[in-house]
Amino acid sequence: MKIRQHPRMHGILIGDEVYCYPQHLYARVVETFPAAVCVKVAMLSINGHLELITSPQLWRADDIENLSVCRYCGTRENVRVDATTGVPFRVCTSCKPT
Ligand SMILES: [Zn+2]
């Protein structure tokens, strides 16, 4: 059986920031798969003492949105953070001129 790539995975590269809707978290992609990404999530662990640990997680392509490209047209050029939402989505200057 041939593994088909999820359409959303086409534009996602290692190093991109992605947002995970069910978990309300965003993180940097460390590995890509046909229908999922592996990210490293930083979290505080209270294990006798406070410690910041990074834990790898698999996020499904259906649950994520790429934050490193324009959310409207998908370009990587001239993108900046759209501060109108709580999530740091990027928009490019041609989709949303100042
Ligand atoms: Zn755009």
Side-chain angles (χ1 to χ4, degrees):
M1 196 179 94
K2 195 168 184 279
I3 296 174
R4 294 192 51 177
Q5 193 184 41
H6 191 286
R8 192 168 287 158
M9 294 303 299
H10 288 306
I12 297 185
L13 304 174
I14 288 167
D16 281 353
E17 282 179 5
V18 292
Y19 181 73
C20 181
Y21 285 100
Q23 300 199 52
H24 305 288
L25 283 174
Y26 62 96
R28 204 169 285 277
V29 173
V30 291
E31 204 168 344
T32 59
F33 298 100
V37 293
C38 181
V39 296
K40 284 252 173 76
V41 180
M43 47 180 111
L44 279 174
S45 149
I46 305 169
N47 202 357
H49 58 285
L50 265 178
E51 192 184 358
L52 189 67
I53 53 163
T54 55
S55 128
Q57 286 191 13
L58 267 186
W59 287 353
R60 286 162 7 111
D62 284 329
D63 295 340
I64 60 171
E65 172 127 5
N66 191 353
L67 296 179
S68 295
V69 298
C70 172
R71 68 182 300 204
Y72 302 109
C73 69
T75 185
R76 292 173 182 271
E77 315 248 313
N78 301 318
V79 292
R80 58 200 163 73
V81 173
D82 181 7
T84 55
T85 62
V87 181
F89 290 116
R90 262 56 159 201
V91 288
C92 72
T93 44
S94 42
C95 287
K96 197 172 177 183
T98 34

